[in-house]
Amino acid sequence: MTGRTRRYEKRYSDLGGLFLDEAAFVATAREQGDEIAYQVDEFRPSDRPGDLIFGTSTLYPGQIGDEFIFTRGHIHAVGDRPEIYLCQSGHGVMLMELADGSTRAEEMRPNSLVYVGPHWIHRSVNVGDTPLVTLFCYPADAGQDYDIIARAGGMRDLIVVDGAGGWKQVPNPNYRPRAAIPGAD
């Protein structure tokens, strides 16, 4: 993205502890090592209320065990801030969860728009075999809390291979309800 003010990259080696099958992660990380799993290019004019941040996220295809590759995910630190994602290319799922454990999974294909409402934890999952590229936009003062997912043992549900060339949403056996976690929202 030309005109960006920031780029960050997450490599396979940065994603430890996120996937259910730790042995599969270790094997994949050993094989992929410093290969980029996803990158984010953003334009951030400021962090002032009323301003907007926008950019692109590119999530490369892959699997760790039965799970499709995904972004770390987050909730906005200022909880009442929404975000939109417009799929540019690829095939993905936006996995969303509220603090009470309610979930939604919205499929993303080129030109589809996903609205992530206030207070939703969210992450992108690439369920295709090409890069999933999304355009995103959110209020500049939103901030991110990336640890909310880790504190609960992951998101309540996982997006996994369905055995028929597609994907399915299944419960995460490591999930701990957020209400049982000290300091959780």
Side-chain angles (χ1 to χ4, degrees), residues 15-106:
L15 303 178
L18 298 180
F19 294 90
L20 186 61
D21 187 338
E22 183 63 22
F25 170 75
V26 169
T28 302
R30 188 176 303 120
E31 180 181 309
Q32 303 293 340
D34 284 334
E35 188 172 320
I36 297 171
Y38 67 94
Q39 66 195 36
V40 175
D41 294 298
E42 71 176 24
F43 175 71
R44 181 184 299 252
S46 80
D47 290 329
R48 291 186 307 268
D51 222 335
L52 293 173
I53 295 170
F54 64 93
T56 59
S57 172
T58 303
L59 176 58
Y60 295 97
Q63 288 178 231
I64 305 291
D66 289 337
E67 287 180 85
F68 289 100
I69 195 78
F70 53 72
T71 60
R72 285 187 308 160
H74 64 276
I75 191 170
H76 292 144
V78 179
D80 66 352
R81 301 302 192 256
E83 189 165 358
I84 60 167
Y85 289 83
L86 176 64
C87 183
Q88 301 291 291
S89 63
H91 181 199
V93 173
M94 180 62 67
L95 183 59
M96 296 175 274
E97 177 184 329
L98 286 172
D100 69 4
S102 303
T103 63
R104 284 184 19 220
E106 291 198 26

Coordinates of all heavy atoms in Angstrom, one line a residue, residues 15-106:
L15 N 4.0 -16.8 16.2 CA 2.6 -17.3 16.5 C 2.5 -18.4 17.5 O 1.5 -19.1 17.6 CB 1.9 -17.7 15.2 CG 1.9 -16.6 14.1 CD1 1.2 -17.1 12.8 CD2 1.2 -15.3 14.6
G16 N 3.6 -18.7 18.2 CA 3.6 -19.7 19.2 C 2.5 -19.6 20.3 O 2.2 -18.4 20.7
G17 N 1.9 -20.7 20.7 CA 0.9 -20.6 21.7 C -0.5 -20.3 21.2 O -1.4 -20.3 22.0
L18 N -0.7 -20.0 19.9 CA -2.0 -19.6 19.4 C -2.8 -20.8 18.9 O -4.1 -20.7 18.8 CB -1.9 -18.6 18.3 CG -1.2 -17.3 18.7 CD1 -1.1 -16.4 17.5 CD2 -1.9 -16.6 19.8
F19 N -2.2 -21.9 18.5 CA -2.9 -23.0 17.8 C -3.1 -24.2 18.8 O -2.3 -24.4 19.6 CB -2.1 -23.4 16.6 CG -2.1 -22.3 15.5 CD1 -1.1 -21.4 15.5 CD2 -3.1 -22.2 14.6 CE1 -1.1 -20.4 14.6 CE2 -3.1 -21.2 13.6 CZ -2.1 -20.3 13.6
L20 N -4.2 -24.9 18.6 CA -4.5 -26.0 19.4 C -3.5 -27.1 19.4 O -3.1 -27.6 20.4 CB -5.9 -26.5 19.0 CG -6.5 -27.6 19.9 CD1 -6.7 -27.1 21.3 CD2 -7.8 -28.1 19.3
D21 N -3.0 -27.5 18.2 CA -2.1 -28.6 18.0 C -0.6 -28.0 18.1 O -0.1 -27.6 17.1 CB -2.3 -29.2 16.7 CG -1.5 -30.5 16.5 OD1 -0.4 -30.7 17.1 OD2 -1.9 -31.3 15.6
E22 N -0.1 -28.0 19.3 CA 1.2 -27.4 19.5 C 2.3 -28.2 18.7 O 3.2 -27.5 18.2 CB 1.6 -27.4 21.0 CG 2.9 -26.8 21.4 CD 3.0 -25.3 21.0 OE1 2.0 -24.6 20.9 OE2 4.1 -24.8 20.9
A23 N 2.2 -29.5 18.7 CA 3.2 -30.3 17.9 C 3.2 -29.9 16.4 O 4.3 -29.7 15.8 CB 3.0 -31.8 18.1
A24 N 2.0 -29.7 15.9 CA 1.9 -29.3 14.5 C 2.5 -27.9 14.3 O 3.1 -27.6 13.3 CB 0.5 -29.3 14.0
F25 N 2.2 -27.0 15.3 CA 2.8 -25.6 15.2 C 4.3 -25.7 15.2 O 5.0 -25.1 14.4 CB 2.3 -24.7 16.3 CG 3.1 -23.4 16.3 CD1 2.8 -22.5 15.4 CD2 4.1 -23.2 17.2 CE1 3.6 -21.3 15.4 CE2 4.9 -22.1 17.2 CZ 4.6 -21.1 16.3
V26 N 4.9 -26.5 16.1 CA 6.3 -26.6 16.2 C 6.9 -27.1 14.9 O 7.9 -26.5 14.4 CB 6.8 -27.4 17.4 CG1 8.3 -27.8 17.4 CG2 6.4 -26.8 18.7
A27 N 6.3 -28.1 14.3 CA 6.8 -28.6 13.0 C 6.7 -27.6 11.9 O 7.6 -27.4 11.1 CB 6.0 -29.9 12.7
T28 N 5.6 -26.9 11.9 CA 5.3 -25.9 10.8 C 6.3 -24.7 11.0 O 6.9 -24.2 10.1 CB 3.9 -25.4 10.8 OG1 3.0 -26.5 10.6 CG2 3.7 -24.4 9.7
A29 N 6.4 -24.3 12.3 CA 7.3 -23.1 12.6 C 8.8 -23.5 12.2 O 9.5 -22.6 11.7 CB 7.2 -22.7 14.0
R30 N 9.2 -24.7 12.5 CA 10.5 -25.1 12.1 C 10.7 -25.1 10.6 O 11.7 -24.7 10.1 CB 10.8 -26.6 12.7 CG 12.2 -27.0 12.5 CD 12.5 -28.4 13.1 NE 12.1 -28.4 14.5 CZ 11.2 -29.3 15.0 NH1 10.6 -30.1 14.3 NH2 11.0 -29.3 16.3
E31 N 9.7 -25.5 9.9 CA 9.7 -25.6 8.4 C 9.6 -24.2 7.8 O 10.4 -23.8 6.9 CB 8.6 -26.4 7.9 CG 8.6 -26.6 6.4 CD 7.4 -27.4 5.9 OE1 7.3 -28.5 6.5 OE2 6.6 -27.0 5.1
Q32 N 8.7 -23.4 8.3 CA 8.4 -22.0 7.8 C 9.3 -21.0 8.4 O 9.6 -20.0 7.7 CB 6.9 -21.6 8.0 CG 5.9 -22.6 7.4 CD 6.0 -22.7 5.9 OE1 6.4 -21.8 5.2 NE2 5.4 -23.8 5.4
G33 N 9.7 -21.1 9.7 CA 10.6 -20.2 10.3 C 10.2 -18.8 10.2 O 9.2 -18.3 10.8
D34 N 11.0 -18.0 9.5 CA 10.8 -16.6 9.4 C 10.0 -16.2 8.2 O 9.9 -15.0 7.9 CB 12.2 -15.9 9.3 CG 12.9 -15.8 10.6 OD1 12.2 -15.8 11.6 OD2 14.1 -15.7 10.6
E35 N 9.3 -17.2 7.6 CA 8.3 -16.8 6.5 C 7.2 -16.0 7.1 O 6.7 -16.3 8.2 CB 7.8 -18.1 5.9 CG 7.0 -17.8 4.7 CD 6.6 -19.1 3.9 OE1 7.4 -20.0 3.8 OE2 5.5 -19.2 3.4
I36 N 6.7 -15.0 6.4 CA 5.6 -14.2 6.9 C 4.3 -14.9 6.8 O 3.9 -15.4 5.8 CB 5.6 -12.9 6.0 CG1 6.9 -12.1 6.2 CG2 4.4 -12.0 6.4 CD1 7.0 -10.9 5.3
A37 N 3.6 -14.9 7.9 CA 2.2 -15.5 8.0 C 1.2 -14.4 7.6 O 0.3 -14.7 6.9 CB 1.9 -16.0 9.4
Y38 N 1.4 -13.2 8.1 CA 0.6 -12.1 7.6 C 1.3 -10.8 7.8 O 2.2 -10.7 8.6 CB -0.8 -12.1 8.3 CG -0.9 -11.8 9.8 CD1 -1.1 -10.6 10.3 CD2 -0.7 -12.9 10.7 CE1 -1.2 -10.3 11.7 CE2 -0.8 -12.7 12.1 CZ -1.1 -11.4 12.5 OH -1.1 -11.2 13.9
Q39 N 0.8 -9.8 7.1 CA 1.4 -8.4 7.2 C 0.2 -7.4 7.2 O -0.8 -7.6 6.6 CB 2.4 -8.1 6.1 CG 1.8 -8.1 4.7 CD 2.8 -8.2 3.6 OE1 3.8 -8.9 3.8 NE2 2.5 -7.5 2.5
V40 N 0.5 -6.3 7.8 CA -0.5 -5.2 7.9 C 0.2 -3.9 7.5 O 1.2 -3.6 8.0 CB -1.1 -5.1 9.3 CG1 -2.0 -3.9 9.4 CG2 -1.8 -6.4 9.7
D41 N -0.4 -3.2 6.5 CA 0.0 -1.9 6.1 C -1.1 -0.9 6.5 O -2.2 -1.2 6.1 CB 0.2 -1.9 4.6 CG 1.4 -2.8 4.1 OD1 2.5 -2.5 4.5 OD2 1.1 -3.7 3.4
E42 N -0.7 0.1 7.2 CA -1.8 1.1 7.6 C -1.4 2.5 7.3 O -0.2 2.8 7.2 CB -2.1 0.9 9.1 CG -1.0 1.3 10.0 CD -1.4 1.2 11.5 OE1 -2.3 0.4 11.8 OE2 -0.8 2.0 12.3
F43 N -2.4 3.3 7.2 CA -2.2 4.8 7.1 C -2.9 5.3 8.4 O -4.1 5.1 8.6 CB -2.9 5.4 5.9 CG -2.8 6.9 5.9 CD1 -1.6 7.5 5.7 CD2 -4.0 7.6 6.1 CE1 -1.6 8.9 5.7 CE2 -3.9 9.0 6.1 CZ -2.7 9.6 5.9
R44 N -2.1 5.9 9.3 CA -2.6 6.4 10.5 C -2.3 7.9 10.6 O -1.2 8.3 10.9 CB -1.9 5.7 11.7 CG -2.4 6.1 13.1 CD -1.6 5.3 14.1 NE -1.8 3.9 14.1 CZ -2.5 3.2 15.0 NH1 -3.0 3.8 16.0 NH2 -2.6 1.9 14.8
P45 N -3.2 8.8 10.2 CA -2.9 10.2 10.2 C -2.7 10.7 11.6 O -1.9 11.6 11.8 CB -4.1 10.8 9.6 CG -5.2 9.8 9.6 CD -4.6 8.5 9.7
S46 N -3.4 10.2 12.6 CA -3.2 10.6 14.0 C -4.0 9.5 14.9 O -4.6 8.7 14.4 CB -3.8 12.0 14.3 OG -5.2 11.9 14.4
D47 N -3.9 9.7 16.2 CA -4.6 8.8 17.1 C -5.8 9.6 17.8 O -6.3 9.2 18.8 CB -3.7 8.3 18.2 CG -2.7 7.2 17.7 OD1 -3.1 6.5 16.8 OD2 -1.6 7.2 18.3
R48 N -6.1 10.8 17.2 CA -7.1 11.7 17.8 C -8.5 11.1 17.6 O -8.8 10.6 16.5 CB -7.0 13.1 17.2 CG -5.7 13.8 17.6 CD -5.8 15.3 17.1 NE -6.1 15.3 15.6 CZ -5.1 15.4 14.7 NH1 -3.9 15.4 15.0 NH2 -5.5 15.5 13.4
P49 N -9.4 11.3 18.5 CA -10.8 11.0 18.3 C -11.3 11.7 17.1 O -11.0 12.9 16.9 CB -11.5 11.4 19.6 CG -10.4 11.4 20.6 CD -9.2 11.8 19.9
G50 N -12.1 11.0 16.3 CA -12.7 11.6 15.1 C -11.9 11.3 13.8 O -12.4 11.4 12.7
D51 N -10.6 10.9 14.0 CA -9.8 10.5 12.9 C -10.0 9.0 12.6 O -10.5 8.3 13.4 CB -8.3 10.8 13.1 CG -7.6 11.4 11.9 OD1 -8.1 11.2 10.8 OD2 -6.6 12.1 12.1
L52 N -9.6 8.6 11.4 CA -9.7 7.2 11.0 C -8.4 6.6 10.6 O -7.5 7.3 10.0 CB -10.7 7.1 9.8 CG -12.1 7.4 10.0 CD1 -12.9 7.4 8.6 CD2 -12.8 6.4 11.0
I53 N -8.2 5.3 10.9 CA -7.1 4.5 10.5 C -7.6 3.6 9.4 O -8.7 3.0 9.6 CB -6.5 3.7 11.6 CG1 -5.9 4.7 12.7 CG2 -5.4 2.7 11.1 CD1 -5.5 4.0 14.0
F54 N -6.9 3.4 8.3 CA -7.3 2.4 7.4 C -6.0 1.8 6.8 O -4.9 2.3 6.9 CB -8.2 3.0 6.3 CG -7.5 4.1 5.4 CD1 -6.9 3.7 4.2 CD2 -7.5 5.4 5.8 CE1 -6.3 4.7 3.4 CE2 -6.9 6.4 5.0 CZ -6.3 6.0 3.8
G55 N -6.2 0.6 6.2 CA -5.1 -0.1 5.6 C -5.5 -1.4 5.0 O -6.7 -1.7 4.9
T56 N -4.5 -2.2 4.8 CA -4.7 -3.5 4.2 C -4.0 -4.6 5.1 O -3.0 -4.3 5.7 CB -4.2 -3.7 2.8 OG1 -2.8 -3.4 2.8 CG2 -4.9 -2.8 1.8
S57 N -4.7 -5.7 5.2 CA -4.1 -6.9 5.9 C -4.0 -8.0 4.9 O -4.9 -8.3 4.1 CB -5.1 -7.3 7.0 OG -4.7 -8.5 7.6
T58 N -2.8 -8.6 4.8 CA -2.6 -9.7 3.9 C -2.2 -11.0 4.7 O -1.2 -11.0 5.4 CB -1.5 -9.4 2.9 OG1 -1.8 -8.2 2.2 CG2 -1.3 -10.6 1.9
L59 N -3.1 -12.0 4.7 CA -3.0 -13.2 5.5 C -2.7 -14.3 4.5 O -3.6 -14.6 3.7 CB -4.2 -13.5 6.3 CG -4.3 -14.7 7.1 CD1 -3.2 -14.9 8.1 CD2 -5.7 -14.8 7.8
Y60 N -1.5 -14.9 4.6 CA -1.2 -15.9 3.6 C -1.8 -17.3 3.9 O -2.2 -17.5 5.1 CB 0.4 -16.0 3.5 CG 1.0 -14.7 3.0 CD1 1.4 -13.8 3.8 CD2 1.0 -14.5 1.6 CE1 1.9 -12.6 3.3 CE2 1.5 -13.3 1.1 CZ 1.9 -12.3 2.0 OH 2.4 -11.2 1.5
P61 N -2.0 -18.1 2.9 CA -2.7 -19.4 3.2 C -1.8 -20.4 4.0 O -0.6 -20.3 3.9 CB -3.0 -19.9 1.8 CG -2.0 -19.3 0.9 CD -1.7 -18.0 1.5
G62 N -2.4 -21.3 4.7 CA -1.7 -22.3 5.4 C -2.6 -22.9 6.5 O -3.7 -22.5 6.7
Q63 N -2.1 -24.0 7.1 CA -2.7 -24.7 8.1 C -1.7 -25.1 9.2 O -0.6 -25.3 8.9 CB -3.4 -26.0 7.6 CG -4.6 -25.8 6.8 CD -5.1 -27.1 6.2 OE1 -5.3 -27.3 5.1 NE2 -5.3 -28.1 7.1
I64 N -2.2 -25.1 10.4 CA -1.5 -25.7 11.5 C -2.4 -26.8 12.1 O -3.4 -26.6 12.7 CB -1.2 -24.7 12.7 CG1 -0.5 -23.4 12.1 CG2 -0.4 -25.3 13.8 CD1 0.9 -23.6 11.7
G65 N -2.0 -28.1 11.8 CA -2.8 -29.2 12.1 C -4.1 -29.0 11.3 O -4.0 -28.8 10.1
D66 N -5.3 -29.1 11.9 CA -6.5 -28.9 11.2 C -7.0 -27.5 11.2 O -8.0 -27.2 10.5 CB -7.6 -29.8 12.0 CG -7.5 -31.3 11.8 OD1 -6.8 -31.7 10.8 OD2 -8.0 -32.0 12.6
E67 N -6.3 -26.6 11.9 CA -6.7 -25.2 11.9 C -6.1 -24.4 10.7 O -5.0 -24.6 10.4 CB -6.2 -24.5 13.2 CG -7.0 -24.9 14.4 CD -6.4 -24.1 15.6 OE1 -6.9 -23.0 15.8 OE2 -5.5 -24.7 16.3
F68 N -7.0 -23.6 10.1 CA -6.5 -22.6 9.1 C -5.7 -21.5 9.8 O -5.9 -21.2 10.9 CB -7.6 -22.0 8.3 CG -8.3 -23.0 7.4 CD1 -9.5 -23.6 7.8 CD2 -7.8 -23.3 6.2 CE1 -10.1 -24.5 6.9 CE2 -8.4 -24.2 5.3 CZ -9.6 -24.8 5.7
I69 N -4.7 -21.0 9.1 CA -3.9 -19.9 9.6 C -4.8 -18.7 9.9 O -5.7 -18.4 9.1 CB -2.7 -19.6 8.6 CG1 -1.7 -18.7 9.3 CG2 -3.2 -19.0 7.3 CD1 -0.8 -19.5 10.2
F70 N -4.5 -17.9 10.9 CA -5.3 -16.8 11.3 C -4.4 -15.7 11.9 O -3.2 -15.9 12.2 CB -6.4 -17.2 12.3 CG -5.9 -17.9 13.6 CD1 -5.2 -17.3 14.6 CD2 -6.2 -19.3 13.7 CE1 -4.7 -18.0 15.7 CE2 -5.7 -20.0 14.8 CZ -5.0 -19.3 15.8
T71 N -5.0 -14.5 12.0 CA -4.3 -13.4 12.7 C -4.4 -13.6 14.2 O -5.3 -14.3 14.7 CB -4.9 -12.0 12.3 OG1 -6.3 -12.0 12.6 CG2 -4.7 -11.8 10.8
R72 N -3.6 -12.9 15.0 CA -3.7 -13.0 16.4 C -5.1 -12.6 16.9 O -5.6 -13.2 17.9 CB -2.7 -12.1 17.1 CG -1.3 -12.6 17.0 CD -0.3 -11.7 17.9 NE -0.4 -10.3 17.5 CZ 0.0 -9.3 18.3 NH1 0.5 -9.6 19.5 NH2 -0.1 -8.1 17.9
G73 N -5.7 -11.6 16.3 CA -7.0 -11.1 16.7 C -6.9 -10.1 17.9 O -5.9 -10.1 18.6
H74 N -8.0 -9.4 18.1 CA -8.0 -8.4 19.1 C -9.4 -7.9 19.4 O -10.4 -8.2 18.7 CB -7.1 -7.2 18.8 CG -7.6 -6.4 17.5 ND1 -7.3 -6.9 16.3 CD2 -8.4 -5.4 17.4 CE1 -7.9 -6.0 15.4 NE2 -8.6 -5.1 16.1
I75 N -9.5 -7.1 20.5 CA -10.7 -6.3 20.7 C -10.2 -4.9 20.8 O -9.0 -4.7 21.2 CB -11.4 -6.8 22.0 CG1 -12.8 -6.1 22.2 CG2 -10.6 -6.5 23.3 CD1 -13.7 -6.7 23.3
H76 N -11.0 -4.0 20.5 CA -10.6 -2.6 20.7 C -10.5 -2.2 22.1 O -11.4 -2.5 22.9 CB -11.5 -1.6 19.9 CG -11.3 -1.9 18.4 ND1 -12.4 -1.8 17.5 CD2 -10.3 -2.2 17.6 CE1 -12.0 -2.0 16.3 NE2 -10.7 -2.3 16.4
A77 N -9.4 -1.5 22.5 CA -9.2 -1.1 23.9 C -10.3 -0.1 24.3 O -10.7 -0.2 25.5 CB -7.8 -0.5 24.1
V78 N -10.8 0.7 23.4 CA -12.0 1.5 23.6 C -13.1 0.7 23.0 O -13.3 0.7 21.8 CB -11.8 2.9 23.0 CG1 -13.1 3.7 23.2 CG2 -10.6 3.6 23.5
G79 N -13.8 0.0 23.9 CA -14.7 -1.1 23.5 C -15.8 -0.7 22.6 O -16.3 -1.6 21.8
D80 N -16.2 0.5 22.6 CA -17.4 0.9 21.7 C -17.0 1.3 20.3 O -17.8 1.9 19.6 CB -18.3 1.9 22.4 CG -17.5 3.3 22.5 OD1 -16.3 3.4 22.2 OD2 -18.2 4.3 22.9
R81 N -15.8 1.0 19.9 CA -15.3 1.3 18.6 C -15.5 0.2 17.6 O -15.0 -0.9 17.8 CB -13.9 1.7 18.6 CG -13.6 2.9 19.5 CD -14.4 4.2 19.1 NE -13.9 5.4 19.7 CZ -14.5 6.0 20.7 NH1 -15.6 5.5 21.2 NH2 -14.0 7.1 21.2
P82 N -16.2 0.4 16.4 CA -16.4 -0.7 15.4 C -15.2 -0.7 14.5 O -14.3 0.1 14.5 CB -17.7 -0.2 14.7 CG -17.6 1.3 14.8 CD -17.0 1.6 16.1
E83 N -15.3 -1.7 13.5 CA -14.3 -1.8 12.5 C -15.0 -2.4 11.3 O -15.9 -3.2 11.4 CB -13.1 -2.6 12.9 CG -12.0 -2.6 11.9 CD -10.7 -3.2 12.6 OE1 -10.7 -3.6 13.7 OE2 -9.7 -3.3 11.8
I84 N -14.6 -2.0 10.1 CA -15.1 -2.6 8.9 C -13.9 -3.3 8.1 O -12.8 -2.8 8.2 CB -15.8 -1.7 7.9 CG1 -14.9 -0.5 7.5 CG2 -17.1 -1.1 8.6 CD1 -15.5 0.3 6.3
Y85 N -14.2 -4.4 7.4 CA -13.3 -5.1 6.6 C -14.0 -5.3 5.2 O -15.1 -5.8 5.2 CB -12.9 -6.5 7.2 CG -12.1 -6.4 8.4 CD1 -12.7 -6.2 9.7 CD2 -10.7 -6.6 8.4 CE1 -11.9 -6.1 10.8 CE2 -9.9 -6.5 9.5 CZ -10.5 -6.3 10.7 OH -9.7 -6.3 11.9
L86 N -13.3 -4.9 4.2 CA -13.7 -5.2 2.8 C -12.7 -6.2 2.2 O -11.5 -5.9 2.1 CB -13.8 -3.9 2.0 CG -14.2 -4.0 0.5 CD1 -15.6 -4.6 0.4 CD2 -14.0 -2.7 -0.2
C87 N -13.2 -7.3 1.8 CA -12.3 -8.4 1.2 C -12.0 -7.9 -0.2 O -12.9 -7.7 -1.0 CB -13.0 -9.7 1.2 SG -12.0 -11.0 0.6
Q88 N -10.7 -7.9 -0.4 CA -10.2 -7.5 -1.8 C -9.9 -8.7 -2.6 O -10.2 -8.7 -3.8 CB -8.9 -6.7 -1.6 CG -9.0 -5.4 -0.8 CD -9.9 -4.4 -1.6 OE1 -9.4 -3.9 -2.6 NE2 -11.1 -4.2 -1.1
S89 N -9.4 -9.8 -2.0 CA -9.1 -11.0 -2.7 C -8.9 -12.2 -1.7 O -8.7 -11.9 -0.5 CB -7.8 -10.9 -3.6 OG -6.7 -10.7 -2.8
G90 N -9.1 -13.4 -2.2 CA -9.0 -14.6 -1.4 C -10.3 -15.0 -0.8 O -11.4 -14.6 -1.2
H91 N -10.2 -15.9 0.1 CA -11.4 -16.5 0.8 C -11.1 -16.7 2.3 O -10.1 -17.3 2.6 CB -11.7 -17.9 0.1 CG -12.9 -18.6 0.7 ND1 -13.0 -20.0 0.5 CD2 -13.9 -18.2 1.4 CE1 -14.2 -20.3 1.1 NE2 -14.7 -19.2 1.6
G92 N -11.9 -16.1 3.1 CA -11.6 -16.1 4.5 C -12.9 -16.1 5.3 O -14.0 -16.1 4.8
V93 N -12.7 -16.1 6.6 CA -13.7 -16.0 7.6 C -13.3 -15.0 8.7 O -12.2 -15.0 9.1 CB -13.9 -17.4 8.3 CG1 -14.9 -17.3 9.5 CG2 -14.4 -18.4 7.3
M94 N -14.3 -14.1 9.0 CA -14.0 -13.2 10.2 C -14.7 -13.9 11.4 O -15.9 -14.1 11.4 CB -14.7 -11.8 9.9 CG -14.4 -10.9 11.1 SD -12.7 -10.5 11.4 CE -12.2 -9.6 10.0
L95 N -13.9 -14.4 12.3 CA -14.4 -15.0 13.5 C -14.5 -13.9 14.6 O -13.6 -13.2 14.9 CB -13.4 -16.1 13.9 CG -13.8 -16.9 15.1 CD1 -15.1 -17.7 14.9 CD2 -12.7 -17.9 15.5
M96 N -15.7 -13.8 15.2 CA -16.0 -12.8 16.1 C -16.7 -13.4 17.4 O -17.3 -14.4 17.3 CB -17.0 -11.8 15.5 CG -16.4 -11.0 14.3 SD -17.6 -9.9 13.5 CE -18.4 -11.1 12.4
E97 N -16.4 -12.8 18.5 CA -16.9 -13.3 19.8 C -17.1 -12.1 20.7 O -16.3 -11.1 20.8 CB -15.9 -14.2 20.4 CG -16.1 -14.7 21.7 CD -15.0 -15.6 22.3 OE1 -14.3 -16.2 21.5 OE2 -14.8 -15.6 23.5
L98 N -18.2 -12.2 21.5 CA -18.5 -11.2 22.6 C -17.9 -11.8 23.9 O -17.7 -13.0 24.0 CB -20.0 -10.9 22.7 CG -20.6 -10.1 21.6 CD1 -22.1 -10.0 21.8 CD2 -20.0 -8.7 21.7
A99 N -17.7 -10.9 24.9 CA -17.2 -11.4 26.2 C -18.1 -12.4 26.8 O -17.6 -13.3 27.6 CB -17.1 -10.2 27.1
D100 N -19.4 -12.5 26.5 CA -20.3 -13.5 27.1 C -20.1 -14.8 26.4 O -20.8 -15.8 26.7 CB -21.7 -13.0 27.1 CG -22.3 -12.9 25.7 OD1 -21.7 -13.3 24.7 OD2 -23.5 -12.5 25.6
G101 N -19.3 -14.9 25.3 CA -19.1 -16.2 24.6 C -19.9 -16.3 23.3 O -19.7 -17.3 22.6
S102 N -20.8 -15.4 23.0 CA -21.5 -15.4 21.8 C -20.6 -15.3 20.6 O -19.6 -14.5 20.7 CB -22.5 -14.3 21.7 OG -23.4 -14.3 22.8
T103 N -20.8 -16.1 19.6 CA -19.9 -16.0 18.4 C -20.6 -15.8 17.1 O -21.8 -16.1 17.0 CB -19.0 -17.3 18.3 OG1 -19.9 -18.4 18.0 CG2 -18.2 -17.6 19.5
R104 N -19.9 -15.3 16.1 CA -20.3 -15.2 14.7 C -19.1 -15.5 13.9 O -18.0 -15.2 14.2 CB -20.8 -13.8 14.4 CG -22.1 -13.4 15.0 CD -22.6 -12.0 14.6 NE -22.0 -11.4 13.4 CZ -21.7 -10.1 13.4 NH1 -21.9 -9.3 14.4 NH2 -21.2 -9.6 12.3
A105 N -19.4 -16.1 12.7 CA -18.4 -16.4 11.7 C -18.9 -15.9 10.4 O -19.9 -16.5 10.0 CB -18.0 -17.8 11.7
E106 N -18.3 -14.9 9.8 CA -18.8 -14.4 8.5 C -17.8 -14.7 7.4 O -16.6 -14.3 7.6 CB -19.1 -12.9 8.6 CG -20.3 -12.6 9.5 CD -20.9 -11.2 9.3 OE1 -20.7 -10.7 8.2 OE2 -21.5 -10.7 10.2

